[in-house]
Amino acid sequence: MDTLTHTFFGLALYGAVNKKNMTREEKQALLFTAVVGSQIPDSDVISSWWDTAGRYQMWHRGLTHSLFLVPVWSALIALIARWIWGAKGWLFFGLGTLAVFIHDTSDLFNAWGTGYLEPVSTVRITFGTIPIVDLVMWAIMLAGWLWARFRVHRRERGHAFRVYRVVWLLLVLHVAIQSAQGSMLYKQAHAAYEQVALSADFVPGVFTVIGKTGDRVELTKGSLWTGLRHVTDLVSSEGADLEQLFTVNPAARTLVEWSPFVVIVDDDERLGVYDPRFYRNGQSFLFEYMAKQGR
């Protein structure tokens, strides 16, 4: 998910905790824990500062998003909260664990995926059933905040946490419905292609299905209710030798490793690879290539 969505997740987690008997310092520590826990896996973006090997695509959402690192992050956050605010108790560690877990797990559902099982496995796990910016999630969380802010009576503000717990229930339900629809489309497509990938649209229930068989890649788009319509056909130069490309542009090797599958371009001007899940208006923005000599 995008940074703003992860921030909203943290605020919604903070809102879902009953803070009736908490001190001001405990509330501040709790807010810090929820928001930082919802953001800290993305601290890997700093790897772009020193990336000279073209590995950023694997480093970002890699080890820092690992399921095995969740308790490490939450312990670090809990220690900082104790150092600054004197916050004690398992609540802070528990909320930090939940915040980091939600970040890592929610990122599985969009096309970028995560290294969820690193370092045990370097496979980038991705379901592609939720867009990276999900406006339905934003609407659910905004509605919850508005209800808690303006509809809960002032004398009952201490019970506003119940509103946010309903918000979380609706968020989980939304992800489940989206993923069920995507799973059905994936299974249908898997019978027709050798390899299949999904990319969720901003419109709920709409997906782009990318299917590959041999050197042919087909993009179709639609929903369970409308059916899939043909978008475009792509041809991959599967017989191309990519070793020179990998030497000249190491990020190309990383893209091949990172993507479920790629389309290979080998024409008079360029040798390159791109991820067809991000193909829009005749090109993919995840495209790594080298210009051929004399061009």
Side-chain angles (χ1 to χ4, degrees), residues 13-22 27 30 147-165:
L13 276 176
Y14 174 76
V17 177
N18 184 355
K19 300 174 284 293
K20 184 178 180 180
N21 297 318
M22 286 188 178
K27 291 178 181 178
L30 197 72
W147 189 275
R149 180 69 178 83
F150 298 107
R151 296 291 294 178
V152 176
H153 195 276
R154 183 179 298 273
R155 289 176 298 179
E156 298 177 345
R157 286 286 168 82
H159 300 292
F161 69 92
R162 295 172 180 168
V163 175
Y164 289 101
R165 292 182 181 182

Side-chain angles (χ1 to χ4, degrees), residues 36-295:
V36 173
S38 295
Q39 295 284 358
I40 199 167
D42 280 342
S43 58
D44 56 16
V45 297
I46 65 173
S47 63
S48 64
W49 298 351
W50 62 76
D51 177 31
T52 59
R55 296 294 294 170
Y56 177 71
Q57 200 70 26
M58 290 299 292
W59 289 337
H60 180 46
R61 290 195 177 192
L63 184 61
T64 60
H65 287 64
S66 170
L67 184 66
F68 304 110
L69 215 62
V70 170
V72 176
W73 287 131
S74 53
L76 175 62
I77 293 168
L79 286 173
I80 295 174
R82 184 166 184 170
W83 175 55
I84 297 177
W85 292 281
K88 300 178 181 179
W90 287 100
L91 173 63
F92 301 95
F93 176 79
L95 188 69
T97 298
L98 183 58
V100 178
F101 175 79
I102 288 173
H103 181 124
D104 293 350
T105 303
S106 64
D107 279 353
L108 292 174
F109 289 89
N110 56 64
W112 292 86
T114 74
Y116 202 61
L117 299 178
E118 289 192 14
V120 175
S121 171
T122 59
V123 173
R124 188 56 56 104
I125 302 175
T126 170
F127 302 141
T129 56
I130 298 291
I132 194 167
V133 177
D134 192 316
L135 299 181
V136 174
M137 288 186 171
W138 286 18
I140 291 172
M141 289 184 281
L142 176 61
W145 177 80
L146 290 173
W147 189 275
R149 180 69 178 83
F150 298 107
R151 296 291 294 178
V152 176
H153 195 276
R154 183 179 298 273
R155 289 176 298 179
E156 298 177 345
R157 286 286 168 82
H159 300 292
F161 69 92
R162 295 172 180 168
V163 175
Y164 289 101
R165 292 182 181 182
V166 173
V167 165
W168 279 106
L169 179 63
L170 293 176
L171 289 173
V172 171
L173 185 62
H174 166 63
V175 172
I177 293 172
Q178 275 278 118
S179 298
Q181 294 177 76
S183 177
M184 292 178 190
L185 288 173
Y186 182 91
K187 290 178 180 178
Q188 291 174 10
H190 209 274
Y193 305 102
E194 293 175 354
Q195 295 174 283
V196 178
L198 285 180
S199 179
D201 195 81
F202 291 111
V203 178
V206 177
F207 302 86
T208 298
V209 179
I210 306 95
K212 183 178 183 181
T213 300
D215 62 352
R216 300 288 173 175
V217 178
E218 181 182 19
L219 274 65
T220 56
K221 185 175 182 177
S223 68
L224 279 177
W225 325 114
T226 63
L228 299 173
R229 61 175 178 83
H230 179 267
V231 175
T232 191
D233 289 313
L234 307 170
V235 179
S236 180
S237 301
E238 293 297 301
D241 184 356
L242 299 178
E243 286 306 313
Q244 185 181 6
L245 170 64
F246 294 158
T247 300
V248 173
N249 185 354
R253 185 189 297 274
T254 301
L255 183 58
V256 171
E257 181 183 352
W258 180 83
S259 305
F261 52 84
V262 296
V263 173
I264 302 173
V265 176
D266 185 13
D267 56 29
D268 293 337
E269 297 182 349
R270 297 175 298 182
L271 175 63
V273 293
Y274 65 83
D275 191 323
R277 295 176 300 168
F278 303 97
Y279 189 86
R280 305 288 188 276
N281 302 319
Q283 62 183 354
S284 171
F285 67 84
L286 286 185
F287 183 25
E288 299 293 341
Y289 66 92
M290 57 168 278
K292 292 189 174 179
Q293 291 184 353
R295 299 289 178 181

